[in-house]
Amino acid sequence: MLIKRRRGWELPEQEATPESAFLHRRALLGAGMGAMGLGLAGSALLGGRDAARAATADPTSDLYPARRNPTYTPDRDLTPERDAANYNNYYEFGTSKYIAPAAASLKIRPWTVKIDGLVDKPFEIGVDDLIRKVTLEERLYRHRCVEAWSMAVPWTGFPLRDLVALAKPTSDAKYIVMRTFLDRAQAPGQKQFWYPWPYTEGLTLAEATNDLAFLATGIYGKPLGNQFGAPIRLAVPWKYGFKSVKAINQISFTAERPKTFWEGLQASEYGFWANVNPQVPHPRWSQASERVLGTDERRPTLLFNGYGEFVADIYKDLKNERLWA
Ligand code: MTE
């Protein structure tokens, strides 16, 4: 049984979640909390064994582990796999952090990714064909959730800009919009009609073509477990974690900035840019420090989550935008 001990200093994350903010608002509106149904399903922690089973079934498992790109070295130890694999946000499968057993039943093959919008020629590609078209590499990235917890994990994947190159956007394209599947039968969270499903995220093309923007297909040297967003998810480590959309099946190029999932629910708290900044508090809690998953440590949060040298330039002419939340 996963027991969550709350220490004096610890942010009550379940209360801090974007989702509970919304539910709180609904409660005030008299809609009640009835839809919150998920508890701690199952009793075993998912870890190496289950992930290994998933990896053998994956048609691209021969590509793992991939060569490590040494450019991005985190300033801390990697989070143990067991901790990262059993503390997830994936609202399609519930609001608890322990959604791994529920997410395990998502059917991730066959899986196609549709590329459309302002591109030379829209197309659909099977995720295995896509993975074999690019060169996979491993990158050690930090991850900072807006709820003030963090981890450092070894993703395997490829730069998002490789996909942008395959898509051939037209000169009118300014944004890239990434969407998750919509399937209420498989994802019970999607029956909660007040969320603007499917989960949608977006980046500017300048952000999407920055080398740090990464499409992850694996973690810990093997294909992604479902709870991490298999078969393909985004990793943009200079932004709060909610930007890193899981289980992507559509990537569209647009001239207009998209309305993202959390923005659609609570624009005053979760904006489009969502770059990490310890000096800009969330309206309901400080962002100055973070709890390091799997440890008792609390660390100061860094501007752009420590990736300023790679990304700060993107924003130098955007001073009037709400870049931080
Ligand atoms: N993607 C989808 N489709 N659904 C989600 O609920 N949650 C986001 C992001 N991507 C989410 C998602 C949030 S809030 C975070 S912090 C990260 O996924 C968590 O990633 P992890 O579970 O791999 O740590």
Side-chain angles (χ1 to χ4, degrees):
M1 178 74 78
L2 179 66
I3 296 169
K4 190 171 183 313
R5 276 187 304 132
R6 190 164 285 167
R7 298 166 191 90
W9 45 261
E10 198 176 286
L11 183 79
E13 279 150 11
Q14 284 293 58
E15 286 150 38
T17 57
E19 201 267 351
S20 64
F22 178 65
L23 280 174
H24 177 63
R25 201 180 60 185
R26 283 184 65 81
L28 291 178
L29 290 171
M33 305 283 281
M36 292 275 283
L38 274 188
L40 299 177
S43 58
L45 292 183
L46 289 189
R49 199 157 30 92
D50 306 82
R53 209 177 298 127
T56 7
D58 187 295
T60 59
S61 55
D62 56 299
L63 301 175
Y64 300 84
R67 190 185 53 84
R68 182 171 297 175
N69 178 340
T71 314
Y72 308 105
T73 309
D75 56 350
R76 62 193 73 171
D77 292 341
L78 289 183
T79 304
E81 181 178 354
R82 258 171 88 89
D83 293 309
N86 292 286
Y87 194 86
N88 302 96
N89 276 332
Y90 203 168
Y91 283 78
E92 285 82 346
F93 296 98
T95 52
S96 133
K97 297 293 186 235
Y98 190 50
I99 51 68
S105 60
L106 177 68
K107 196 165 172 274
I108 55 164
R109 291 294 189 291
W111 189 277
T112 53
V113 181
K114 189 174 184 180
I115 313 285
D116 62 8
L118 300 172
V119 291
D120 271 5
K121 206 168 165 213
F123 62 94
E124 275 191 35
I125 185 165
V127 74
D128 299 315
D129 293 338
L130 175 61
I131 291 171
R132 290 196 186 275
K133 248 186 207 307
V134 294
T135 306
L136 294 187
E137 61 182 54
E138 184 174 72
R139 293 186 181 189
L140 312 186
Y141 273 179
R142 291 187 292 274
H143 174 100
R144 171 57 158 85
C145 178
V146 73
E147 298 161 351
W149 56 267
S150 68
M151 61 180 185
V153 295
W155 298 116
T156 304
F158 57 97
L160 175 57
R161 70 163 169 231
D162 291 357
L163 184 131
V164 174
L166 285 174
K168 301 197 182 65
T170 66
S171 56
D172 296 334
K174 303 271 179 299
Y175 297 91
I176 177 167
V177 187
M178 287 152 280
R179 285 187 199 85
T180 304
F181 68 93
L182 182 61
D183 185 341
R184 292 184 185 88
Q186 290 201 74
Q190 292 184 333
K191 291 184 183 149
Q192 298 183 322
F193 61 87
W194 53 90
Y195 289 106
W197 307 113
Y199 199 103
T200 302
E201 261 307 337
L203 298 171
T204 63
L205 266 194
E207 293 176 320
T209 53
N210 183 281
D211 189 55
L212 259 189
F214 200 58
L215 282 172
T217 59
I219 192 167
Y220 295 100
K222 54 202 172 229
L224 287 176
N226 281 8
Q227 72 271 46
F228 290 113
I232 186 164
R233 60 89 57 83
L234 185 68
V236 278
W238 72 98
K239 292 180 176 284
Y240 289 116
F242 65 86
K243 296 293 293 183
S244 288
V245 47
K246 297 179 171 184
I248 299 167
N249 75 355
Q250 186 179 7
I251 300 187
S252 309
F253 291 79
T254 65
E256 271 99 50
R257 185 186 298 183
K259 176 68 79 58
T260 58
F261 183 81
W262 288 112
E263 204 185 0
L265 275 172
Q266 198 93 325
S268 59
E269 301 196 352
Y270 310 102
F272 173 79
W273 298 98
N275 294 308
V276 175
N277 188 336
Q279 291 183 342
V280 179
H282 181 277
R284 290 177 293 118
W285 60 86
S286 164
Q287 295 292 23
S289 67
E290 62 207 47
R291 180 176 69 90
V292 181
L293 206 60
T295 73
D296 284 342
E297 197 187 346
R298 205 159 179 97
R299 296 179 76 104
T301 287
L302 303 172
L303 184 63
F304 291 115
N305 199 21
Y307 294 100
E309 64 178 297
F310 303 107
V311 296
D313 265 8
I314 303 176
Y315 306 102
K316 63 180 185 316
D317 299 324
L318 295 171
K319 298 280 186 281
N320 294 329
E321 294 284 342
R322 215 182 99 205
L323 293 172
W324 311 112

